[in-house]
């Protein structure tokens, strides 16, 4: 009989549900999807009109809102998909995607 997964044993394929269906909501918080990002959103606080469209569309919940306003980006979980930049209103364009190697400030 196999041991149960726990802190001392990662789950193996026998522990996975058929079809690898994800049954637990919110489990992405445990994975640092920012590790494999090659481009990152560069946000202009000055241009931003705080419409929150980017926050609605971000698939990783990586845009942090405080008091109803965009406060910062969570770069441990932002995977660099660019959806936020795509959805930011064209007349505003407060987010542009920048290759990681061009970033001067490490966050
Ligand atoms: S690049 Fe993707 S994951 Fe990162 S903040 Fe924008 S929408 Fe979210
Ligand atoms: S979509 Fe653009 S303008 Fe709207 S909150 Fe996000 S960055 Fe700001």
């Amino acid at each position: 009989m196999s041991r149960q997964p726990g802190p001392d044993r990662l789950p193996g394929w026998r522990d996975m549900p058929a079809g690898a269906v994800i049954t637990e909501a919110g489990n992405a918080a445990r994975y640092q999807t920012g590790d494999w990002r090659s481009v990152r959103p560069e946000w202009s606080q000055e241009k931003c009109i705080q419409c929150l469209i980017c926050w609605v569309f971000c698939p990783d919940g990586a845009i942090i809102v405080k008091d109803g306003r965009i406060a910062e980006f969570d770069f441990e979980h932002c995977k660099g998909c660019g959806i936020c930049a795509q959805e930011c209103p064209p007349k505003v364009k407060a987010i542009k995607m920048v290759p990681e190697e061009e970033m001067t400030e490490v966050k």
Side-chain angles (χ1 to χ4, degrees):
M1 198 170 111
S2 65
R3 290 187 303 129
Q4 292 295 310
D8 59 337
R9 189 179 81 79
L10 291 173
W13 66 270
R14 286 189 180 88
D15 305 310
M16 300 296 169
V21 173
I22 298 171
T23 55
E24 180 192 353
N27 62 46
R30 295 202 299 266
Y31 302 96
Q32 295 201 350
T33 45
D35 282 356
W36 41 272
R37 185 182 56 244
S38 59
V39 288
R40 73 165 59 193
E42 191 179 69
W43 172 58
S44 167
Q45 193 168 356
E46 294 72 35
K47 289 183 183 175
C48 179
I49 59 171
Q50 298 292 345
C51 66
L52 302 187
I53 291 174
C54 57
W55 173 74
V56 170
F57 278 90
C58 174
D60 286 292
I63 299 175
I64 312 298
V65 171
K66 289 182 184 152
D67 298 325
R69 299 174 66 83
I70 304 291
E72 60 184 325
F73 285 64
D74 170 5
F75 287 110
E76 287 192 352
H77 293 97
C78 164
K79 62 188 173 195
C81 65
I83 291 174
C84 54
Q86 186 69 34
E87 295 299 329
C88 185
K91 288 184 178 172
V92 180
K93 284 209 170 295
I95 301 174
K96 70 173 180 177
M97 301 306 290
V98 179
E100 284 290 331
E101 62 268 22
E102 289 180 20
M103 297 301 296
T104 51
E105 187 184 341
V106 177
K107 292 180 182 173

